[in-house]
Amino acid sequence: MALGVEPKERHLMQRPPRNPKTGVLTKVTWTIVFCQAIVMATLTIANYVLALHHFHYTIPDARSLAFTTITTLQLTHCFMSRSIHQSVFKTGIHENRWILGAFFLSFGCMLMGIYAPGVSTWLELTAVNGMSWVMILICVIVFMTFVELEKLIVRQLGCVL
């Protein structure tokens, strides 16, 4: 909902209009969504497998890491989804206070689900340790790099979305 009150993109009116016969979601847009979902899932599964087989986490700890990874990726993805054309470094993250509020509220709820006694037990989650947060941060950086490269390719090819 916070994306719904997003300020308009700069230079929006300088772009050529899209064909009114095409849908809002084009093949290019679906491809972008699909690729980002695959990368997000792959990073989450990779963290889970690494935690189990390389770092010898217990299954509940690896499951909590996977939950925290996918949730953090989804939450940070909202900043990168503000524009399909422009880099998050151009659009910034501070212009929409609603999206910032939603991000921090959701992130806080996730932390409460992981660390708050009772809540974490009910959700069957364990505390995420420092090494796990490093792994999550690496996944966020990899995902952000992928999305920004994808946007660069869309701009270079001049894809109509």
Side-chain angles (χ1 to χ4, degrees):
M1 298 223 9
L3 275 175
V5 293
E6 184 67 27
K8 67 179 182 193
E9 286 186 46
R10 293 182 192 108
H11 310 294
L12 181 65
M13 299 305 288
Q14 281 76 34
R15 281 191 288 210
R18 68 175 178 82
N19 184 343
K21 293 182 181 181
T22 63
V24 176
L25 295 174
T26 65
K27 288 180 184 177
V28 173
T29 310
W30 277 114
T31 303
I32 289 169
V33 169
F34 179 75
C35 290
Q36 290 178 5
I38 292 297
V39 170
M40 215 179 283
T42 302
L43 289 170
T44 301
I45 292 167
N47 255 3
Y48 181 78
V49 170
L50 269 173
L52 280 177
H53 299 291
H54 183 70
F55 296 109
H56 307 291
Y57 282 29
T58 64
I59 289 176
D61 288 345
R63 187 183 323 126
S64 295
L65 170 62
F67 167 78
T68 309
T69 301
I70 193 77
T71 304
T72 304
L73 287 171
Q74 282 285 301
L75 290 174
T76 55
H77 188 246
C78 75
F79 295 111
M80 294 175 271
S81 298
R82 293 175 62 207
S83 172
I84 293 177
H85 296 95
Q86 292 182 333
S87 167
V88 71
F89 300 108
K90 277 192 176 183
T91 60
I93 62 168
H94 63 284
E95 289 183 15
N96 184 342
R97 70 177 193 261
W98 294 103
I99 207 165
L100 281 173
F103 173 84
F104 286 115
L105 177 67
S106 300
F107 196 78
C109 288
M110 179 191 70
L111 292 176
M112 188 170 54
I114 297 167
Y115 296 111
V119 179
S120 62
T121 306
W122 179 62
L123 293 173
E124 297 181 10
L125 295 171
T126 60
V128 176
N129 64 27
M131 183 60 191
S132 295
W133 281 111
V134 170
M135 293 167 66
I136 293 166
L137 181 62
I138 291 169
C139 286
V140 168
I141 292 167
V142 168
F143 184 67
M144 187 178 230
T145 303
F146 175 80
V147 171
E148 290 300 319
L149 286 173
E150 203 175 38
K151 288 180 182 185
L152 178 66
I153 291 167
V154 166
R155 283 193 307 269
Q156 295 295 319
L157 296 177
C159 295
V160 178
L161 304 173

